[in-house]
Amino acid sequence: MAARHEEIAEELRRAIDRGEYPVGGTLPTESDLAARYEVSRGTVRQAVAALTSEGRIGSRQGARRVVLGNRRSQSFAELRSFAQWARAMGRTATGRVIEQYRRPATAEDVERLLIPPGSDVLQVLRVRGLDGEPVLVERNAYPIWVAEAVERLPADCESVVQALYDDIGIIFAYGEHTIDAVAAGTQDAELLGIRRGGPLLRIRRTTTTHAGRPIEWSDDRYRQGSVSFAVANSIGSNPLARHVG
Amino acid sequence: MAARHEEIAEELRRAIDRGEYPVGGTLPTESDLAARYEVSRGTVRQAVAALTSEGRIGSRQGARRVVLGNRRSQSFAELRSFAQWARAMGRTATGRVIEQYRRPATAEDVERLLIPPGSDVLQVLRVRGLDGEPVLVERNAYPIWVAEAVERLPADCESVVQALYDDIGIIFAYGEHTIDAVAAGTQDAELLGIRRGGPLLRIRRTTTTHAGRPIEWSDDRYRQGSVSFAVANSIGSNPLARHVG
DNA sequence: GTCACCAGCTTGTCCAAACAAGTCTCGCCT
DNA sequence: AGGCGAGACTTGTTTGGACAAGCTGGTGAC
């Protein structure tokens, strides 16, 4: 929180949360805010742009900015790491490795991990839970250059992301998520303790380093009712895309 | 496409698409791009910020920008309107109203539509399809001030969004989406022609005007395998949030 | 009363400059 | 060969100014 525009954004978030700028009302003008915080208008614009992209305020040329809601979005750290997310929510994350083995890369692995055809990947199957109750089946594939570090991890490792950073300095910097629904297979049903064919929320995710090099891809299946995902969008910005199939 | 920074963003998108800046490679520096397009560095920064928020390129202080992929995100118009989305994909959207009636607002309606307790809402149940095949069950609730215009629509109206704009000038400006998975109920199963209890992808959405006034909220249930949703995120920006329950 | 229009306000766009902060490469030293 | 550091390079932050574009409310004509 060094940058002034981030400080201002955080102050505005708090002001919205405590009702100083009520939902449905308007924010002060950029000039007002600039004077109040003793910064230039450009810095204020950076701050309000952050709130806009979070969906907290609306923005339209010529009109005062409107407060849309006081939803608080998650940090990237909380989204990519199940353990960190659970901790932020005050829950206890559990988890254990069910299977872990190397196998030849499939066509999907080659495409998602940008690895040469014929190379191996490390396949890991984990079950994760909240407060002891199983919530999520996670199937990860790691390219060979990561595999060794993953294999060194204990079976009940809480935060894989944190461990890989501490061990070999890998930073999970970018993620792409595809969300759909699937029926529980035999293995899913068994591990989550539900009926076969029941609804699961599936997130397929590819994570890359700062340089865009894929670190892992994953197929996460959440038990019905356990979690939901939220996205805000507007005419100006739309992070969400809908695809056929 | 009036603003110069938008033009530059679009040119960069096209350059990435045609492989001029390959995935995994780097973009020219801001100064280079500023010189090439004969604009200031600030304008270039606006352009690359757009690509960054789309997840196409990565950005890190001190290092050159990295090309992450050539995914193309959807416009807001395509996301909020099923008909417009289908058209953009070259598919034919079908749809019909199954039920439509006014009813007293529930607690959920009051909270989501910011209406006074005790007022009425218009409930509409639609089935929508792609190329004749049913794909989606849509349950909408509209506040009273919108209800009259909705009731004037024909039962097979293609684009409700477009019709409401033409009729009473309502603009769907902001949306908030919550995504999870549910089991198909009896009615869902019947309307979509699937087995009861099968997996459905559910999107609950609230849409508001520019002023933040809710226009509708909707519970959309997509048949398994028919559509998926995609989101890109990074350490710098994370539009996606995960919630319990 | 109603409508059109205008003036003032507010946000959007763009520029030029300077410095801060982080990255990367290359050469030197051990 | 390997590690370390200096310096060049690149992106991030901030300022101040100017004009464009769009909204809003009020005034005046009808």
Side-chain angles (χ1 to χ4, degrees), chain A residues 74 179 228-229 242-243 245, chain B residues 74 179 226 228-229 242-243 245:
Chain A
Q74 275 181 316
I179 307 175
S228 60
F229 290 83
R242 173 171 48 191
H243 300 288
Chain B
Q74 275 180 316
I179 307 174
S226 62
S228 60
F229 290 83
R242 173 172 48 191
H243 300 288

Side-chain angles (χ1 to χ4, degrees), chain A residues 21 24-33 36 57-67, chain B residues 174 210-211:
Chain A
Y21 305 125
T26 62
L27 233 52
T29 68
E30 294 177 359
S31 310
D32 281 354
L33 291 172
R36 184 172 314 179
I57 63 177
S59 191
R60 197 170 41 134
Q61 183 174 134
R64 291 273 280 274
R65 262 173 255 265
V66 172
V67 179
Chain B
Y174 305 108
H210 278 302

